[in-house]
Amino acid sequence: MRFLAEILLSGLAIGAIYGIIAIGFAVIYKTTGLVNFAQGEIAMIVAYIAWTISTTLSGNVFVVTGGALVAAVLLGLVIERVVMRPMLGEPVFSTVMVTIALAVILRSSINFIWDAYPQALNLGVGRDIVRVGAVGMRTGQIAVIVMLLALLAGFWLFFRYSRYGIAMRAVAGDDRTALLMGISTGRVHAVAWAASAAISGIAGIFFAITYDVSPAMYEIGLKSFPATILGGLDAVIGSGFGGLLIGVAENLAGGYLGSGTKEIAGFAMIIVILMVRPFGLFGQRDIERV
Amino acid sequence: MRSGTYKETYGELIALTDSRLVWFWGAALMVVLAAAPYLVNAYVLSLMTIMLITVVGALGLNILTGYTGLISLGHVGFLVSGAYGYAVVVSRWGLPPLAGFVAAGVVPAALSLVVGAPSLRLRGLYLAITTLAFAFIIDNLILQAGPLTNGARGITVERPDMLGLSFASDAAFSHLCLAAAILTLFGTLNLRRSRIGRALVAIRDNDIAARAMGINLNAYKLLAFVTSAFVTGIAGALYGINLSYVSVEGFPFLLSIEALAILIVGGLGSPLGAILGTIFIMLLPEVTGSLLRLFGTQAEALFSTGAQELKSTLYGLVIILFLRFEPGGLVRIWHDVRRLWVHWPLRF
């Protein structure tokens, strides 16, 4: 019983990280209609920036996260302006390939700028153990679950009530009509990229605090794919909860079926989900007009 | 100056080429390539062999991505399963190499049915994600199936000895690869001009219209998947033999990206493009390496420690730059140059 509780809780914690990144996927998909394959790489770069700030400038939690998030927003804006904006209006194949190429470049840039060894991001927080029932959890793991819930609530309110959120939904629905209504689609895309980079940055920093930063960290991006597919690529809230489900499922598979299964549990789920409900649990079904 | 060409029969329309010059120069190129192993040094020969193998793989992916327009990030999965198909049958079971090559094609083709079937309902993005998932699952399955595949230790493979010929020497093996590349080239060229090829291109250009014209989307998409996986599997077997050692680490995910980079740089959907793209992409790290060497020892150290990273950065950059500035790829540039050559000083 205790084993099960441990698996469930640590699954929720890692699932929350997947969920946060999945929200990042969904924000970009919802506004620009493309899947950003470089999401995990952005999370990794932001975590590395946070680590650099913590070792060179100051180890204060707020300085580090604040600085890293500013860097994340800038990174998102630069990527959108330099790489994605010129591809506007190109076929999906081209834009998807561009994000894949971007992922490959960012992934290898780690080895040029930093090095290939794992580093610990030590901010003096998040590594203490607290007892939840009979199980010990790190405070960072609890904080990330709370963060996910806060982000979900925030985005729900943002998309529902804020002017910009409604503009984003309009662009997602039909960008040409949105343009005619006086919405600057270019700016909406830029905001989506910046927000999504910041969100993945948050996930990256949480991952770095609870585990460590390493050049293999981009894999959290790949592992968040199942989350966003399960929730629905265009469903921000669904993607977040999808993350929790995938985290738990992955840990259950790892705990009861062997560690090799843990690595591929999510990917196996992708194939099953896409067979049964290609638009996800909460996503909108595409209806195509001929 | 050549004037316009007029085609009078369907046969002329779908002929591979209407020009004797193309046949002549093609044959001359074959003679040169066949003689090259005896003339060049070992390094150039190894580069040539790996290029010929890559051409086979790129043409395989071209059937799926270029003709049918389905993105696959999982072709490294077909490559590795082809290599294991060969290695298990030949090295572990001791069957003849010819049976190994059959297995190298059939195993990935069977697997492609498993990946292909669910992805029939999916388009663009989703397909990229399922095939990506497949690449990871297949690596894991190989590691798990220890008794069959030797797990993480991998399998040693020898150069084959078949059809009464020995392919043990470097020159002979490169001839085998050349034969495979030529067979694949003519196979895909002929596929393109058959009923099947036209159906695949119709699906790529507009699947709804294709369906309305009576093309069975599911059957043809699966066919594209199976054919592409079969060809890629053969390339994987050759790749494994060339490495002389088949393991999961020998087939990094970067190979999938490399194959897509080849198609994009060369020009999607064109076998000639796949060949030009292969030459470009395979020479790119070499040329960059020698350029860096000009900048002195520090740059050279960067090249030797970060060779893999440098390679992926270059692939990423050429993909982005070509998609942005020349989506038609090298084959378009080649056609433009040829048109300029023939029609100059007229513009058209």
Side-chain angles (χ1 to χ4, degrees), chain A:
Chain A
M1 198 56 219
R2 190 161 154 232
F3 182 60
L4 181 65
E6 250 167 33
I7 284 180
L8 288 180
L9 281 177
S10 64
L12 282 179
I14 190 75
I17 292 181
Y18 297 159
I20 295 178
I21 294 189
I23 292 176
F25 278 121
V27 166
I28 288 193
Y29 187 83
K30 207 170 163 61
T31 38
T32 63
L34 66 97
V35 173
N36 173 21
F37 276 81
Q39 206 75 29
E41 281 75 5
I42 294 176
M44 172 167 71
I45 298 253
V46 175
Y48 263 93
I49 292 173
W51 176 75
T52 312
I53 297 175
S54 78
T55 49
T56 53
L57 287 176
S58 124
N60 185 305
V61 188
F62 297 103
V63 175
V64 171
T65 44
L69 286 185
V70 170
V73 168
L74 286 178
L75 182 66
L77 289 176
V78 167
I79 290 175
E80 198 276 336
R81 193 70 195 83
V82 177
V83 187
M84 301 315 297
R85 184 82 61 95
M87 300 303 294
L88 218 61
E90 299 279 327
V92 177
F93 174 83
S94 307
T95 43
V96 169
M97 274 316 298
V98 166
T99 66
I100 292 170
L102 192 68
V104 176
I105 294 175
L106 291 178
R107 203 178 293 172
S108 47
S109 71
I110 291 291
N111 265 21
F112 290 127
I113 306 175
W114 292 280
D115 54 25
Y117 305 103
Q119 315 279 358
L121 176 65
N122 190 1
L123 303 178
V125 292
R127 301 213 175 204
D128 314 320
I129 309 274
V130 284
R131 300 207 70 79
V132 181
V135 189
M137 269 185 102
R138 288 180 175 174
T139 45
Q141 291 182 312
I142 297 172
V144 71
I145 299 175
V146 175
M147 188 75 210
L148 172 73
L149 297 175
L151 277 176
L152 285 178
F155 268 101
W156 186 76
L157 292 172
F158 174 73
F159 276 119
R160 185 148 181 114
Y161 295 111
S162 99
R163 218 177 131 73
Y164 233 98
I166 295 168
M168 279 180 152
R169 280 182 11 216
V171 171
D174 186 337
D175 53 352
R176 208 168 293 174
T177 315
L179 204 59
L180 289 173
M181 294 292 156
I183 297 168
S184 161
T185 41
R187 199 183 298 161
V188 166
H189 283 192
V191 169
W193 272 89
S196 152
I199 296 165
S200 345
I202 294 175
I205 294 171
F206 270 112
F207 187 87
I209 289 178
T210 8
Y211 308 98
D212 50 13
V213 287
S214 74
M217 218 181 112
Y218 67 87
E219 285 176 4
I220 56 172
L222 298 179
K223 290 194 157 188
S224 308
F225 270 123
T228 191
I229 298 283
L230 177 65
L233 266 174
D234 57 346
V236 174
I237 314 284
S239 294
F241 284 113
L244 292 177
L245 283 176
I246 294 289
V248 170
E250 197 185 274
N251 261 23
L252 284 175
Y256 290 102
L257 301 174
S259 61
T261 340
K262 182 178 175 179
E263 299 298 315
I264 56 164
F267 295 125
M269 278 178 80
I270 287 188
I271 294 184
V272 176
I273 299 161
L274 287 177
M275 273 163 89
V276 185
R277 265 182 89 89
F279 41 89
L281 290 180
F282 306 98
Q284 220 164 34
R285 183 179 221 139
D286 272 349
I287 296 170
E288 211 166 335
R289 216 174 278 182
V290 179

Side-chain angles (χ1 to χ4, degrees), chain A residues 29 37 86 93-94 96-98 100-101 104-105 108 111-112 222 233 260 263-264 267-268 274-275 278 288 290, chain B residues 71 73 118 121-123 125-126 130 133 136 140 144 208 257 260 264 268 309-310 312-313 316-317 320 323-324:
Chain A
Y29 187 83
F37 276 81
F93 174 83
S94 307
V96 169
M97 274 316 298
V98 166
I100 292 170
V104 176
I105 294 175
S108 47
N111 265 21
F112 290 127
L222 298 179
L233 266 174
E263 299 298 315
I264 56 164
F267 295 125
L274 287 177
M275 273 163 89
E288 211 166 335
V290 179
Chain B
I71 310 179
L73 286 174
R121 303 173 48 179
L122 311 169
R123 312 249 309 261
L125 296 167
Y126 290 107
T130 19
F136 285 93
N140 218 285
Q144 301 278 311
I208 297 170
I257 307 286
L260 283 168
I264 288 169
L268 269 177
E309 281 73 27
L310 187 75
S312 19
T313 313
L317 277 178
I320 293 181
L323 282 174
R324 170 96 175 74

Side-chain angles (χ1 to χ4, degrees), chain B:
Chain B
M1 189 165 57
R2 282 205 298 181
S3 66
T5 44
Y6 301 100
K7 310 276 168 83
E8 288 169 347
T9 61
Y10 283 118
E12 283 173 8
L13 270 174
I14 61 169
L16 280 180
T17 173
D18 56 359
S19 153
R20 288 210 183 139
L21 266 180
V22 172
W23 283 114
F24 172 74
W25 285 114
L29 181 67
M30 289 311 125
V31 172
V32 170
L33 280 178
Y38 305 106
L39 304 173
V40 297
N41 65 27
Y43 177 70
V44 178
L45 180 60
S46 75
L47 197 63
M48 196 181 113
T49 311
I50 192 83
M51 270 188 191
L52 290 169
I53 298 172
T54 314
V55 163
V56 178
L59 287 170
L61 180 62
N62 189 42
I63 297 173
L64 188 69
T65 304
Y67 290 168
T68 326
L70 305 171
I71 310 179
S72 166
L73 286 174
H75 256 56
V76 67
F78 296 134
L79 216 53
V80 74
S81 51
Y84 267 97
Y86 180 86
V88 168
V89 166
V90 176
S91 295
R92 303 217 49 181
W93 296 349
L95 292 173
L98 216 51
F101 277 110
V102 172
V106 170
V107 171
L111 283 171
S112 79
L113 283 176
V114 181
V115 217
S119 26
L120 287 174
R121 303 173 48 179
L122 311 169
R123 312 249 309 261
L125 296 167
Y126 290 107
L127 192 63
I129 298 172
T130 19
T131 48
L132 176 78
F134 165 71
F136 285 93
I137 292 175
I138 194 82
D139 270 6
N140 218 285
L141 284 181
I142 288 171
L143 291 177
Q144 301 278 311
L148 189 67
T149 59
N150 248 355
R153 270 170 297 151
I155 305 173
T156 317
V157 279
E158 311 243 312
R159 298 268 173 89
D161 209 346
M162 57 184 189
L163 304 172
L165 297 166
S166 163
F167 294 101
S169 74
D170 285 350
F173 183 63
S174 94
H175 281 148
L176 177 67
C177 296
L178 180 64
I182 294 174
L183 269 179
T184 322
L185 178 63
F186 277 100
T188 51
L189 278 172
N190 282 326
L191 180 75
R192 171 66 186 81
R193 66 201 187 111
S194 70
R195 180 192 157 81
I196 298 170
R198 288 194 299 274
L200 298 184
V201 172
I203 292 173
R204 174 191 71 190
D205 291 342
N206 190 333
D207 55 349
I208 297 170
R211 197 168 177 181
M213 309 254 276
I215 293 169
N216 183 343
L217 288 191
N218 288 356
Y220 277 102
K221 279 185 179 175
L222 262 190
L223 187 66
F225 246 107
V226 171
T227 325
S228 172
F230 187 94
V231 175
T232 313
I234 300 286
L238 290 171
Y239 194 85
I241 298 169
N242 191 40
L243 290 174
S244 74
Y245 181 71
V246 174
S247 72
V248 172
E249 279 86 45
F251 295 82
F253 181 67
L254 187 62
L255 288 177
S256 272
I257 307 286
E258 188 181 294
L260 283 168
I262 286 172
L263 292 193
I264 288 169
V265 165
L268 269 177
S270 149
L272 174 66
I275 293 170
L276 292 177
T278 307
I279 296 171
F280 185 93
I281 289 288
M282 302 305 279
L283 288 182
L284 188 66
E286 307 289 329
V287 172
T288 322
S290 28
L291 279 181
L292 277 181
R293 242 164 255 135
L294 294 180
F295 285 103
T297 47
Q298 204 191 347
E300 196 180 340
L302 177 79
F303 179 68
S304 53
T305 53
Q308 200 70 7
E309 281 73 27
L310 187 75
K311 232 175 161 177
S312 19
T313 313
L314 286 173
Y315 292 163
L317 277 178
V318 292
I319 291 179
I320 293 181
L321 292 176
F322 265 89
L323 282 174
R324 170 96 175 74
F325 296 107
E326 187 56 274
L330 290 173
V331 90
R332 167 85 63 82
I333 296 178
W334 163 245
H335 283 171
D336 286 350
V337 168
R338 200 175 57 182
R339 192 183 310 131
L340 198 72
W341 177 260
V342 172
H343 296 289
W344 193 85
L346 301 173
R347 281 196 69 194
F348 300 106

